[in-house]
Amino acid sequence: MSDKVEAGTTFAVHHIKAIAEFSWWYRAKKRRLLERCNLTEKQFEEIQSTPEYKERVFNLMFENRSAEEFEAWVKEHGPNMPQNFGKIVGLDPEDVPDMVEQVRQAHADIAAGKGRKPWRLQT
């Protein structure tokens, strides 16, 4: 019996989290992650297309930087930020601007007292 995940399978939360965080932090060593998670390249791409994956990438964007740091990070990516960042984490570049705006709104909500800082930004 194979340990490979079958195509069309609903992916476990830990796979989605691992793929998102791996894409975020260690994009250069994908083959190693695929082996560890017993995933094919196609399954990796399927995970990256799920709403859960996009949610995890959003959380990484939001949780790792203050509002000021986030704006500097976006600016650092330059005018091709949607294409560059989309390629890094495996998202459609058309989805990236909406995610950026959602992160901005989340930071604005915190500044307005409507939300809590992510645990990583607690001081």
Side-chain angles (χ1 to χ4, degrees):
M1 177 183 249
S2 172
D3 288 337
K4 294 279 184 197
V5 178
E6 295 297 320
T9 300
T10 301
F11 295 101
V13 172
H14 71 274
H15 279 129
I16 293 167
K17 183 178 178 185
I19 296 297
E21 291 188 13
F22 176 83
S23 297
W24 180 266
W25 298 110
Y26 306 106
R27 62 186 174 264
K29 297 181 179 158
K30 181 167 60 171
R31 192 174 85 216
R32 187 178 311 165
L33 178 71
L34 294 176
E35 290 171 1
R36 280 189 182 162
C37 291
N38 290 320
L39 295 170
T40 66
E41 180 77 28
K42 183 177 184 225
Q43 290 164 330
F44 185 87
E45 291 169 4
E46 287 176 13
I47 287 172
Q48 288 180 316
S49 70
T50 65
E52 295 85 1
Y53 177 82
K54 290 176 186 173
E55 180 180 344
R56 185 65 197 136
V57 172
F58 167 86
N59 287 335
L60 288 164
M61 292 168 69
F62 176 60
E63 293 170 350
N64 285 294
R65 292 173 178 82
S66 67
E68 296 79 18
E69 292 168 332
F70 177 73
E71 290 304 327
W73 176 78
V74 170
K75 186 176 180 180
E76 180 182 299
H77 275 84
N80 293 325
M81 193 278 187
Q83 292 78 16
N84 295 338
F85 182 67
K87 184 176 180 179
I88 289 168
V89 296
L91 291 176
D92 184 330
E94 292 187 17
D95 291 338
V96 175
D98 285 340
M99 293 178 77
V100 168
E101 287 307 314
Q102 290 172 14
V103 172
R104 284 181 174 138
Q105 185 60 53
H107 282 298
D109 288 348
I110 290 169
K114 297 179 188 175
R116 291 185 11 199
K117 286 184 181 179
W119 66 271
R120 290 182 183 173
L121 299 177
Q122 297 292 328
T123 55

